[in-house]
Amino acid sequence: MNINPADGHIFGYAVGWATGIDIGSDDEALTKDYLSAKVWVTPANYIAIVRHQRGVVDAVKVFKFKVPGESLSTRFGLKNMNPGRQIVTQGGPIQKSIADDADNLGDDPIFSVGGAVMHAAAGRRRAGTFSHAATPIPLNADWAHDISNIQDCPNVSCKDVRLQGTDHGTGPHLKSGTVYGNYAIYVSFDSETFPLPGDKPSLKIEM
């Protein structure tokens, strides 16, 4: 799976990846929004979240799932749309690798915080939360968006939701912003590590 928040395609939850259908093409899998339906239903024990810049990795986190052998479809798909606040990994990352020259880390939704991978829903908004980073994924398409950054609102609703890129619905509080990179999601059944920053990602990573 790959998320490009400025490729002209909105890749929200209910209007995008939760259905598990093929999205995009293999030829543009790491430059535009992409989802492999085959991998979406493949059993996995590990998940890697990879930020990359024009095909070069600059940050990686790898986690081990709490429940072994389930697919992303089972963990995050439409059949599990109301999970409450469900921690799906065994604590924090088992690998965290960030390039020395990586930019925009202060409010990055993945790499500015610690913690586990969470699948959460709250009220009328649905959040697929990696670490402690809330990424609203509402059922209303007007509020759909690819990637939001960490919001600094203290225990109240933000007036504006600060986003990466331009791929979002017409909700009046959604604000386009700087793209920090593409975010790719990889799964593995047995590999606990992922290539380091500076390496080039591909559809399949041999370890």
Side-chain angles (χ1 to χ4, degrees):
M1 179 175 168
N2 188 71
I3 305 171
N4 179 336
D7 68 344
H9 173 260
I10 298 176
F11 206 20
Y13 181 82
V15 295
W17 53 270
T19 58
I21 62 173
D22 280 318
I23 294 174
S25 67
D26 288 358
D27 291 341
E28 297 180 310
L30 291 164
T31 58
K32 295 185 178 181
D33 292 343
Y34 174 82
L35 186 145
S36 166
K38 180 179 179 180
V39 176
W40 185 249
V41 295
T42 298
N45 293 328
Y46 301 91
I47 182 170
I49 306 170
V50 182
R51 197 179 81 172
H52 58 101
Q53 312 289 338
R54 297 180 179 86
V56 178
V57 174
D58 76 346
V60 176
K61 277 187 176 181
V62 179
F63 300 84
K64 185 175 183 178
F65 285 121
K66 289 174 66 176
V67 178
E70 291 185 347
S71 67
L72 292 182
S73 176
T74 299
R75 300 177 199 276
F76 302 117
L78 290 175
K79 293 182 180 179
N80 191 21
M81 286 188 67
N82 191 21
R85 293 177 63 84
Q86 184 180 68
I87 303 295
V88 298
T89 61
Q90 294 182 6
I94 57 177
Q95 176 188 342
K96 180 180 178 181
S97 307
I98 299 177
D100 292 338
D101 60 352
D103 294 326
N104 300 309
L105 294 175
D107 61 352
D108 184 286
I110 309 301
F111 299 100
S112 67
V113 291
V117 175
M118 181 185 296
H119 183 35
R124 296 179 62 187
R125 297 201 307 176
R126 204 158 294 284
T129 305
F130 295 109
S131 301
H132 297 137
T135 304
I137 308 174
L139 298 180
N140 186 337
D142 289 345
W143 289 88
H145 57 274
D146 286 14
I147 302 172
S148 69
N149 294 323
I150 296 292
Q151 310 298 310
D152 56 5
C153 313
N155 302 317
V156 296
S157 297
C158 293
K159 180 179 179 180
D160 295 318
V161 179
R162 294 176 295 110
L163 307 177
Q164 291 187 38
T166 54
D167 295 345
H168 56 77
T170 58
H173 299 309
L174 300 181
K175 303 299 180 183
S176 300
T178 301
V179 175
Y180 295 176
N182 276 220
Y183 292 77
I185 309 297
Y186 290 84
V187 292
S188 172
F189 195 81
D190 54 13
S191 180
E192 300 181 1
T193 60
F194 194 88
L196 298 175
D199 289 325
K200 294 184 178 181
S202 58
L203 275 176
K204 186 177 180 179
I205 303 294
E206 298 289 349
M207 297 298 297

